[in-house]
Amino acid sequence: MAFFAVSRSQPLKFLSATDLAMEYERLEAECSQLEQAVSSHAIVDQAIGAVVVLGRIAPEEAWRVLRDVSQRTNTKLRVVAEHLMAFTQGAELPEAERTELRKAIARYQSWKR
C-alpha cells in the first residue's frame, strides 16, 4: 500500500514508512498540545469566574487580576488559576499569590467606584 502527502502548495509526495512514522509522531504531539491548551483555557475561565465572585468585579477586571497575580509572582497564569480553584475547594493559596490577589482585587474594585 502506498501513502502520499497531500498539500495545496506541492504536488503529491510519496511517503516512506519512516516519513509516515515521523508525521504520526508530529500529529500526536500537536494533538497533545491542543488538548493541554483547551484544558488550560477551561481552568483559567473557571478561575476568572471565581475572582468575579470573590471580588465582586466584572469578568474583564477578573482577567486582569489573574494576569497581575501571575506577573507579580512570576507564576504561570495556568498555575495561578489552578491554585485559585484549589483555594475555592478549601486548599491553601500560596502566600505570595494570596497577597497579590488581595492587592489586585482591591485595585480593580476601586476602579469601578
Side-chain angles (χ1 to χ4, degrees), residues 38-112:
V38 168
S39 175
S40 291
H41 189 72
I43 194 77
V44 169
D45 284 347
Q46 291 170 7
I48 288 170
V51 174
V52 165
V53 172
L54 288 171
R56 296 185 181 125
I57 56 178
E60 296 81 23
E61 278 81 26
W63 159 250
R64 291 182 186 109
V65 165
L66 286 179
R67 184 193 60 204
D68 288 0
V69 171
S70 171
Q71 290 174 345
R72 291 171 188 257
T73 62
N74 197 26
T75 307
K76 289 183 181 273
L77 182 68
R78 175 186 46 80
V79 173
V80 170
E82 289 170 354
H83 290 165
L84 185 61
M85 293 312 298
F87 175 70
T88 65
Q89 299 295 312
E92 286 291 319
L93 194 59
E95 179 64 34
E97 290 175 28
R98 185 172 55 243
T99 300
E100 289 303 327
L101 180 64
R102 285 185 188 131
K103 289 177 183 177
I105 287 175
R107 261 194 314 275
Y108 291 103
Q109 281 178 333
S110 68
W111 284 9
K112 70 178 194 179

Side-chain angles (χ1 to χ4, degrees), residues 27-41:
L27 290 172
E28 271 199 332
E30 185 177 324
C31 183
S32 177
Q33 290 171 350
L34 289 171
E35 287 172 348
Q36 184 177 3
V38 168
S39 175
S40 291
H41 189 72

